[in-house]
Amino acid sequence: MAELPELTLPDKPKLAQNITHFARALRKAGLPIGSGRVIDAVEAVAAAGFTSRQDLYWTLHACFVSKPEHRVVFGQIFRLYWRDPRFLERMMAALLPAIKGVQEEKPAKPGEKRAAEALLDGANQEVDVPDQQEEDGSDFEIDASLTMSSEERLRSLDFEQMSTDEVAQAKKILAQIKLPVQPMQSRRLMAAKRGTRADWRRTFREAARRGGDIQVIARAKRRQRWPNLVVICDISGSMSHYSRIVLHFLHAVANAKGAGWARVHGFTFGTRLTNITRHMATRDVDAALAAAGAEAQDWEGGTRIGACLHDFNRDWSRRVMGQGAVVLLITDGLDRDDPKALAHEMQRLHLSARRLIWLNPLLRWDGFAAKAQGIRAMLPHVDSFRAGHSIVSLEELVRAISDERDTGEKTRLMAQVRQRA
């Protein structure tokens, strides 16, 4: 739950104006709030009173929050608006870039940057820039030769630290990324004038039409076919923000023409497994994700990776994995169930897939190590282990899929696991 500051009100509080401004900030941050909800919130707060800050929080929460993904942003805006003593300083720090060696580099909490932008909407955000000529006569110069462009910064920015506008820009970039795959050689043959094999059946059939005289030996070659792409995405509390952006990317891949995939299958899991393949076929991305979210009832819940993989292996593996499918598993691997059962289900999934690629947003940390028992149980049974926290990490999937020798960070982390063992 969000941190709740001490609630202090002026001598003559303006209830309707304050709640209206608060609702406007929530709407700017992405919450669907209309005038009807504002009226309900004013009446609810007037009825509940201001005797407890928890009562105010949950009263406004009941009026304005309708989806699990809105809780984090609501909590941050509530903390900043009602009333963190240093709320303006914290919001400006979230919006302005930090200068190394001058300002402490502290990443914003999830949703804090969007809350800051919503509360500062329309405010004067001009920043005083010191003159080039200092009082002592020395020149003040800044070398910007190695600074990144805004698009380069956005591509490497963590999804969880993006503002509302940055998330929208990231989704547009992800919608343009192609995820091609090389075709596979089928066992079935097709007629070809310069084929590498003799097609004796067609040769004898043509000879029978000519009285048994073989004039030309028919040739054939193997057909080409494309594999399925199976995406299994974790939507638990620790993964929900990453999952929404990854599902936008999945929708773009599923609807891309000429990408080469026979079919794209999508599954979500938290405490249970949900098939969202038919929703991903909807052309409108917002309608597709809304339908997928309505069917998956375990958003931002707990995690049962082993149990959900067991359900997939039992109910869906033979249906969607029979054509040499490539599997993308998106999860942080933080599971408290039996690690032996999890390892067994991962082994079954690996044996059924042509290639199993694990995307883990925890790999964004330089000091990441396979310490969690769930990660240690899963790691030996994947072909490639990669980060999945930014646009760049998703763009590198192209290399991981096309190069069967690519292992990502698996080799390094497995060496660490063996040393500790």
Side-chain angles (χ1 to χ4, degrees):
M1 189 182 75
E3 302 174 7
L4 301 180
E6 293 292 339
L7 183 62
T8 57
L9 294 176
D11 296 334
K12 296 181 179 180
K14 297 181 180 180
L15 176 63
Q17 290 87 336
N18 287 332
I19 294 180
T20 301
H21 186 197
F22 178 63
R24 187 180 298 115
L26 293 175
R27 187 186 302 113
K28 176 65 178 178
L31 274 67
I33 296 175
S35 58
R37 290 196 180 189
V38 178
I39 296 174
D40 293 340
V42 173
E43 295 177 350
V45 173
F50 298 92
T51 57
S52 170
R53 63 179 182 270
Q54 283 85 359
D55 291 344
L56 177 62
Y57 178 89
W58 290 112
T59 300
L60 295 177
H61 186 280
C63 296
F64 292 142
V65 177
S66 57
K67 295 183 179 181
E69 56 265 28
H70 297 157
R71 295 173 183 171
V72 174
V73 176
F74 175 86
Q76 292 293 353
I77 295 182
F78 183 90
R79 179 177 60 82
L80 294 174
Y81 186 81
W82 305 92
R83 201 48 129 21
D84 190 333
R86 299 178 61 191
F87 78 101
L88 183 58
E89 178 184 347
R90 292 174 60 86
M91 286 189 287
M92 293 302 296
L95 292 176
L96 297 180
I99 301 177
K100 293 186 177 180
V102 178
Q103 180 181 353
E104 179 183 0
E105 295 187 26
K106 183 178 180 182
K109 295 180 180 180
E112 191 172 58
K113 194 171 184 180
R114 280 171 286 166
E117 287 187 341
L119 286 173
L120 287 178
D121 182 36
N124 185 10
Q125 302 183 36
E126 295 182 358
V127 181
D128 294 333
V129 180
D131 294 334
Q132 230 177 359
Q133 187 73 21
E134 301 253 340
E135 293 181 358
D136 57 359
S138 61
D139 292 335
F140 182 79
E141 296 181 357
I142 298 178
D143 183 9
S145 60
L146 297 180
T147 56
M148 294 186 297
S149 66
S150 58
E151 183 174 349
E152 290 174 344
R153 175 184 171 275
L154 180 64
R155 288 179 179 273
S156 59
L157 188 62
D158 191 332
F159 290 142
E160 197 172 36
Q161 303 302 332
M162 289 182 176
S163 66
T164 305
D165 293 337
E166 289 170 341
V167 170
Q169 295 175 19
K171 290 177 180 178
K172 293 180 180 179
I173 296 176
L174 291 175
Q176 299 174 357
I177 297 178
K178 304 298 182 181
L179 197 62
V181 63
Q182 296 296 327
M184 303 170 59
Q185 296 294 330
S186 173
R187 294 182 180 180
R188 296 188 176 185
L189 301 177
M190 61 180 296
K193 292 183 178 180
R194 298 182 181 181
T196 57
R197 295 189 177 190
D199 189 349
W200 296 113
R201 176 178 296 180
R202 191 155 58 94
T203 300
F204 292 145
R205 186 167 59 247
E206 293 294 332
R209 295 174 180 175
R210 295 177 175 85
D213 184 14
I214 298 179
Q215 297 180 355
V216 179
I217 298 179
R219 312 299 296 180
K221 66 177 183 180
R222 285 191 173 185
R223 292 179 180 270
Q224 288 185 339
R225 62 179 179 86
W226 281 263
N228 292 336
L229 177 64
V230 180
V231 181
I232 307 176
C233 189
D234 188 347
I235 58 172
S236 61
S238 59
M239 285 289 300
S240 60
H241 193 68
Y242 295 100
S243 301
R244 290 186 186 91
I245 299 182
V246 171
L247 288 178
H248 271 267
F249 174 62
L250 169 61
H251 179 270
V253 174
N255 290 274
K257 296 182 179 180
W261 299 102
R263 192 174 182 186
V264 179
H265 299 272
F267 296 85
T268 61
F269 72 91
T271 56
R272 67 176 188 176
L273 183 73
T274 305
N275 186 354
I276 61 170
T277 302
R278 61 189 180 92
H279 301 307
M280 292 296 102
T282 305
R283 297 295 299 178
D284 184 79
V285 60
D286 295 327
L289 295 184
E295 184 165 350
Q297 300 295 326
D298 50 349
W299 281 94
E300 292 193 352
T303 310
R304 299 185 61 202
I305 303 177
C308 293
L309 290 182
H310 172 75
D311 294 340
F312 177 83
N313 291 329
R314 181 193 61 195
D315 300 332
W316 296 101
S317 180
R318 292 186 178 181
R319 304 184 190 183
V320 302
M321 305 275 284
Q323 302 296 325
V326 176
V327 179
L328 297 182
L329 179 62
I330 299 101
T331 179
D332 53 14
L334 302 181
D335 187 30
R336 296 184 178 181
D337 288 344
D338 184 10
K340 293 183 179 179
L342 176 58
H344 175 69
E345 298 301 334
M346 282 294 298
Q347 184 181 24
R348 289 184 58 189
L349 180 63
H350 188 205
L351 293 175
S352 302
R354 174 189 176 189
R355 187 164 173 77
L356 176 56
I357 301 173
W358 180 9
L359 300 182
N360 191 333
L362 296 181
L363 271 177
R364 68 187 184 274
W365 307 115
D366 294 335
F368 176 83
K371 296 180 180 180
Q373 61 179 7
I375 296 178
R376 291 199 304 268
M378 298 170 64
L379 191 58
H381 305 291
V382 299
D383 296 304
S384 182
F385 186 46
R386 288 187 160 274
H389 66 289
S390 64
I391 298 175
V392 172
S393 62
L394 294 181
E395 288 176 334
E396 291 178 351
L397 268 180
V398 177
R399 183 176 63 182
I401 290 178
S402 58
D403 185 3
E404 296 186 355
R405 297 171 298 178
D406 179 84
T407 61
E409 297 294 325
K410 176 185 176 181
T411 303
R412 179 180 64 85
L413 293 175
M414 286 300 300
Q416 294 180 359
V417 172
R418 295 190 189 97
Q419 289 178 358
R420 293 177 181 178

